[in-house]
Amino acid sequence: MSVTYDDSVGVEVSSDSFWEVGNYKRTVKRIDDGHRLCTDLMNCLHERARIEKAYAQQLTEWARRWRQLVDKGPQYGTVEKAWVAVMSEAEKVSELHLEVKASLMNEDFEKIKNWQKEAFHKQMMGGFKETKEAEDGFRKAQKPWAKKLKEVEAAKKAYHAACKEEKLAISREANSKVDPSLNPEQLKKLQDKVEKCKQDVLKTKEKYEKSLKELGQGTPQYMEGMEQVFEQCQQFEEKRLRFFREVLLEVQKHLDLSNVASYKNIYRDLEQSIKAADAVEDLRWFRANHGPGMSMNWPQFEEWSADLNRTLSRREKKKTADGVTLTGISQTGDQALQNKPSSVSSYEKTQSYPADWSDDESNNPFSSTDANGDSNPFDEDAPSGPEVRVRALYDYEGQEQDELSFKAGDELTKIEDEDEQGWCKGRLDNGQVGLYPANYVEAIQ
């Protein structure tokens, strides 16, 4: 008759020791944990790669926006070049962070994925082959010893029960000696019970000691078998730990931009660009192009001519673009500097100066409004073209303070046409004015 034996039934675990029956399951579970940890590490790297990509995109957008603002702003000369170099640095660093993202996903992520697939083999019935092999190995090594341990527990229980029964029989016999109501036959039965209990105690004790001896004899073999299976699990875990260390070192190399030659060159070039800024040179350029160094059509005596119906005013003499020939121009000593070509200034691209000189405060660049900081030198030009009502096609959340936020279906007013970067200026119904992506809206028919 065959009996199916379950080593987890009938044995009380008395400690947390590995040698207790069933406590090998923590070692088996570690194999499943190893597979999960591979997945966790891949998720960790994937999330970091997303952060790298988002940071790169933000750097690029920031550099594009501020390059445009500086280009349209009043800064000029070599300091403008130094300022723009900061945006160039952001664009180059953005490229490096995109490379970091690619390395994390294409190299590190794929390496972990392939190792996980090779190290863990799924079974059709669920679980992993490696986990089942460890489980079966421990059960096989523990089964004979656990069976003997179960016999010891049963013998101990029987011995303790016999001792308890013996103590109770002796107590009854002692009480019967002072009880006059009991006849001799009853006293004889109590005495016989005591003797029987003593014999039972001796028998169960002998069996208990014998079971313990047999268990002790089987313990070395039990420990050897468990050690062998445990060592196999240790070797499997060692491979995973060493692999993780190797992968994390690769991740460190990909994240550490300080050892990348091109990264060092970016900041070397940035430092050189900033140090190249020359205040004296910029002041000299401004003097020649927007200051006392500019040429002037100084008023001179003009004879009356019958061929002319009227004398040209000073304003009309300034309109050289209309084909009027200026005569009698006397140049200042700084005229040579005006003719010097300049490719670094954007000031003249956004500033227009009236031909007539005036004391009017509205024409004074150093008026109290600017002095108090109430105006923004980076404000866009006044709206041009007719205003158009548009409707949002998608939700948009402004990323900067000068950008609008709206929901799909909201209506707003476009007050400036799309620029070369794909942005429009608009006004919400609450009066807020700002930028928004041109392809996020459509004109209302």
Side-chain angles (χ1 to χ4, degrees), residues 106-123:
N106 298 336
E107 297 180 31
D108 302 329
F109 184 92
E110 289 298 324
K111 188 174 184 178
I112 300 171
K113 182 179 179 181
N114 292 333
W115 188 90
Q116 183 189 45
K117 186 176 181 181
E118 294 174 0
F120 298 90
H121 302 84
K122 291 185 177 181
Q123 299 183 119

Side-chain angles (χ1 to χ4, degrees), residues 75-79 274-287:
Q75 185 58 60
Y76 57 92
T78 56
V79 172
I274 295 175
K275 287 183 176 180
D278 187 343
V280 174
E281 175 64 24
D282 290 354
L283 294 174
R284 184 184 298 115
W285 178 90
F286 192 88
R287 176 185 179 88

Side-chain angles (χ1 to χ4, degrees), residues 196-211:
K196 184 178 182 302
C197 286
K198 288 182 178 180
Q199 293 177 2
D200 290 342
V201 168
L202 292 176
K203 290 180 181 179
T204 53
K205 183 179 180 181
E206 180 181 356
K207 187 176 181 180
Y208 180 28
E209 291 175 342
K210 182 180 178 182
S211 298

Side-chain angles (χ1 to χ4, degrees), residues 302-312 317 327:
E302 299 179 13
E303 288 288 353
W304 178 84
S305 172
D307 296 333
L308 298 176
N309 294 327
R310 56 189 175 88
T311 303
L312 294 176
K317 290 179 181 179
T327 61

Side-chain angles (χ1 to χ4, degrees), residues 311-361:
T311 303
L312 294 176
S313 67
R314 292 179 62 207
R315 175 185 294 273
E316 291 167 333
K317 290 179 181 179
K318 296 289 288 184
K319 298 180 180 178
T320 58
D322 294 337
V324 178
T325 303
L326 302 181
T327 61
I329 299 176
S330 60
Q331 298 179 346
T332 65
D334 293 331
Q335 177 59 26
L337 290 176
Q338 180 192 9
N339 297 329
K340 180 180 179 181
S342 173
S343 60
V344 298
S345 173
S346 62
Y347 191 73
E348 58 192 357
K349 292 182 293 184
T350 58
Q351 299 294 330
S352 60
Y353 295 89
D356 289 343
W357 180 85
S358 172
D359 286 331
D360 188 352
E361 287 296 322

Side-chain angles (χ1 to χ4, degrees), residues 48-105:
R48 177 59 184 267
R50 291 174 57 189
I51 293 174
E52 294 289 336
K53 180 180 179 181
Y55 178 54
Q57 291 174 339
Q58 290 176 354
L59 279 179
T60 300
E61 178 61 22
W62 174 84
R64 179 200 65 79
R65 183 170 179 273
W66 275 98
R67 185 187 293 274
Q68 183 179 1
L69 289 174
V70 172
D71 184 62
K72 292 182 178 180
Q75 185 58 60
Y76 57 92
T78 56
V79 172
E80 180 186 13
K81 275 187 173 181
W83 195 343
V84 171
V86 176
M87 274 66 84
S88 298
E89 172 269 343
E91 292 169 345
K92 294 175 182 177
V93 171
S94 173
E95 294 177 359
L96 289 179
H97 281 279
L98 286 178
E99 292 177 5
V100 170
K101 174 258 179 186
S103 298
L104 291 176
M105 293 304 299

Side-chain angles (χ1 to χ4, degrees), residues 221-270:
Q221 183 178 356
Y222 162 62
M223 295 179 66
E224 181 181 355
M226 294 290 284
E227 281 274 10
Q228 183 177 0
V229 181
F230 181 79
E231 187 59 32
Q232 293 173 356
C233 294
Q234 287 287 82
Q235 293 175 3
F236 184 82
E237 177 67 5
E238 182 182 9
K239 292 179 181 179
R240 186 191 68 81
L241 294 175
R242 291 185 180 276
F243 172 73
F244 269 41
R245 180 180 183 275
E246 176 186 342
V247 169
L248 291 174
L249 283 175
E250 290 295 324
V251 171
Q252 178 266 328
K253 291 179 181 178
H254 292 148
L255 295 178
D256 187 6
L257 295 179
S258 64
N259 292 325
V260 179
S262 58
Y263 186 75
K264 297 178 180 179
N265 294 338
I266 290 174
Y267 292 97
R268 182 193 63 195
D269 296 343
L270 177 60

